[in-house]
């Protein structure tokens, strides 16, 4: 058995209320007595209140208040943990391997009836997210560790304009999963400010049919930015960078079904549609010339 298995077995035997010596524990588990000592030390370090009594009737025992507390999760708690682990892994949780090992341990100590119950519920529950690659998981682990330990990281910042990435010092405060995407929040040593909440925002009022606005409000791009809603009108606080990139192209399929109150967004919609019009007019002209050449 592994060390964790031995520790759990010792904990289980001591939880019964019996006082047992290291030799008795070693004999019961068929391990060396030195292994018992190491496991006892690890259990004490993890917070288990183990008492060592010397003398003829001595041995190890656990405080009664600890034995009265539940050591294992009940079946519904186990099911909830299984489902939570599925959510976490599918969302790209950076410590998925550790989570899998933890779930394997829980399944290992379930009886046959519990195991069948857990397996049936684990296969009856699914979450669909794009799979997170290993490199991103490594970055998330580094950012989470730095946030937890209060460390500064050096990162290469890519502006996405074809320029060479610039090195920057960054103090991460945490990582956030929002609508299937991972973000980090922290203090930028270059900007000398927080990189969350410091962006410039624009108030955008959109009018349209209630069903169309419902679709809009459920989208990840707009849902978190909603500040006011009535049946045929919605008001959003959107970042300028989003208005100049993703938002105009996302709204294109709605055509004339929306009325927008934002000069910035309207201007960007005009630019985006003009570029698209010029692109397809050029394609049509080329297609027409090819047809004429064939004739």
């Amino acid at each position: 058995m592994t060390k964790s298995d031995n520790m759990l077995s010792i904990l289980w035997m001591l939880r019964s209320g019996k006082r047992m010596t290291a030799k008795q524990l070693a004999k019961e588990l068929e391990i060396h007595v030195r292994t018992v000592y190491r496991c006892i030390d690890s259990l004490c370090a993890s917070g288990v209140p183990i008492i060592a009594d010397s003398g003829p009737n001595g041995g190890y025992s656990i405080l009664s208040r600890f034995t009265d507390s539940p050591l294992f999760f009940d079946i519904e708690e186990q099911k909830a943990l299984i489902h939570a682990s599925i959510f976490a892994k599918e969302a790209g949780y950076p410590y998925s391997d550790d989570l899998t090992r933890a779930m394997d341990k829980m399944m290992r100590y379930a009886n046959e009836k519990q195991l069948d119950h857990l397996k049936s519920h684990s296969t009856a529950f699914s979450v669909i997210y794009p799979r997170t690659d290993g490199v991103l998981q490594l970055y998330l682990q580094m950012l989470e560790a730095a946030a937890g330990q209060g460390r500064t990281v050096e990162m290469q910042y890519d502006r996405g304009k074809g320029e060479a990435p610039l090195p920057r010092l960054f103090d991460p405060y945490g990582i956030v999963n929002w609508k299937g995407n991972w973000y980090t929040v922290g203090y930028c040593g270059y900007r000398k400010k927080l990189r969350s909440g410091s962006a410039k925002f624009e108030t955008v009022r959109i009018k349209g049919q209630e069903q169309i606005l419902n679709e809009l409000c459920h989208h990840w791009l707009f849902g978190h930015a909603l500040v006011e809603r009535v049946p045929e009108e919605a008001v959003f606080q959107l970042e300028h960078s989003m208005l100049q990139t993703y938002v105009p192209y996302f709204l294109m399929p709605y055509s004339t079904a929306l009325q927008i109150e934002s000069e910035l967004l309207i201007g960007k919609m005009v630019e985006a549609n003009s570029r698209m019009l010029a692109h397809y007019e050029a394609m049509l002209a080329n297609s027409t010339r090819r047809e004429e050449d064939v004739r």
Side-chain angles (χ1 to χ4, degrees), residues 81-152:
L81 288 172
I82 290 289
H83 288 173
S85 71
I86 294 173
F87 259 113
K89 286 187 287 187
E90 292 301 322
Y93 178 61
Y95 298 98
S96 292
D97 292 342
D98 306 276
L99 182 61
T100 298
R101 289 198 302 274
M103 292 299 102
D104 287 344
K105 287 180 182 178
M106 187 177 71
M107 301 282 273
R108 188 186 311 157
Y109 293 101
N111 58 43
E112 187 174 347
K113 182 178 179 181
Q114 291 173 327
L115 194 59
D116 290 340
H117 181 78
L118 292 174
K119 285 183 176 178
S120 64
H121 281 283
S122 64
T123 56
F125 184 86
S126 297
V127 180
I128 300 175
Y129 276 116
R131 181 64 63 181
T132 303
D133 62 42
V135 175
L136 178 56
Q137 284 195 326
L138 179 60
Y139 290 153
L140 291 173
Q141 290 177 9
M142 294 170 60
L143 289 167
E144 188 279 330
Q149 299 167 16
R151 292 189 286 107
T152 299

Side-chain angles (χ1 to χ4, degrees), residues 236-262:
F236 305 93
Q237 283 284 336
L238 293 165
E239 290 186 30
H240 273 212
S241 61
M242 304 295 281
L243 292 174
Q244 297 176 32
T245 52
Y246 304 111
V247 175
Y249 293 97
F250 175 78
L251 294 180
M252 277 185 185
Y254 292 98
S255 186
T256 58
L258 300 177
Q259 295 293 320
I260 300 171
E261 294 183 13
S262 167

Side-chain angles (χ1 to χ4, degrees), residues 67-288:
T67 59
D68 291 338
S69 64
L71 177 61
F72 295 112
F73 302 108
D74 63 35
I75 192 65
E76 292 304 312
E77 291 170 336
Q78 289 178 340
K79 181 178 72 174
L81 288 172
I82 290 289
H83 288 173
S85 71
I86 294 173
F87 259 113
K89 286 187 287 187
E90 292 301 322
Y93 178 61
Y95 298 98
S96 292
D97 292 342
D98 306 276
L99 182 61
T100 298
R101 289 198 302 274
M103 292 299 102
D104 287 344
K105 287 180 182 178
M106 187 177 71
M107 301 282 273
R108 188 186 311 157
Y109 293 101
N111 58 43
E112 187 174 347
K113 182 178 179 181
Q114 291 173 327
L115 194 59
D116 290 340
H117 181 78
L118 292 174
K119 285 183 176 178
S120 64
H121 281 283
S122 64
T123 56
F125 184 86
S126 297
V127 180
I128 300 175
Y129 276 116
R131 181 64 63 181
T132 303
D133 62 42
V135 175
L136 178 56
Q137 284 195 326
L138 179 60
Y139 290 153
L140 291 173
Q141 290 177 9
M142 294 170 60
L143 289 167
E144 188 279 330
Q149 299 167 16
R151 292 189 286 107
T152 299
V153 298
E154 182 176 334
M155 57 190 295
Q156 297 291 323
Y157 183 76
D158 190 348
R159 300 187 182 189
K161 299 179 180 179
E163 303 172 354
L166 300 174
R168 292 190 180 181
L169 296 179
F170 183 70
D171 296 329
Y173 297 156
I175 56 175
V176 180
N177 184 274
W178 176 258
K179 302 293 186 181
N181 293 287
W182 286 97
Y183 303 87
T184 183
V185 180
Y187 182 83
C188 177
Y190 177 79
R191 296 287 185 183
K192 304 297 182 184
K193 63 174 71 173
L194 285 172
R195 290 305 289 157
S196 67
S198 59
K200 192 174 181 181
F201 287 85
E202 170 88 4
T203 298
V204 177
R205 188 180 302 272
I206 301 179
K207 299 178 181 179
Q209 294 180 8
E210 184 175 3
Q211 183 177 354
I212 294 176
L213 291 180
N214 286 340
E215 292 180 9
L216 207 61
C217 291
H218 281 96
H219 190 269
W220 69 268
L221 198 60
F222 292 88
H224 71 286
L226 181 66
V227 295
E228 184 182 336
R229 175 68 200 275
V230 294
E232 296 187 348
E233 183 177 303
V235 180
F236 305 93
Q237 283 284 336
L238 293 165
E239 290 186 30
H240 273 212
S241 61
M242 304 295 281
L243 292 174
Q244 297 176 32
T245 52
Y246 304 111
V247 175
Y249 293 97
F250 175 78
L251 294 180
M252 277 185 185
Y254 292 98
S255 186
T256 58
L258 300 177
Q259 295 293 320
I260 300 171
E261 294 183 13
S262 167
E263 290 187 9
L264 175 62
L265 180 55
I266 293 173
K268 292 299 177 182
M269 292 286 293
V270 170
E271 291 178 13
N273 280 281
S274 297
R275 285 195 297 270
M276 183 175 289
L277 177 63
H279 174 73
Y280 285 105
E281 282 181 339
M283 289 180 62
L284 181 61
N286 290 334
S287 177
T288 302

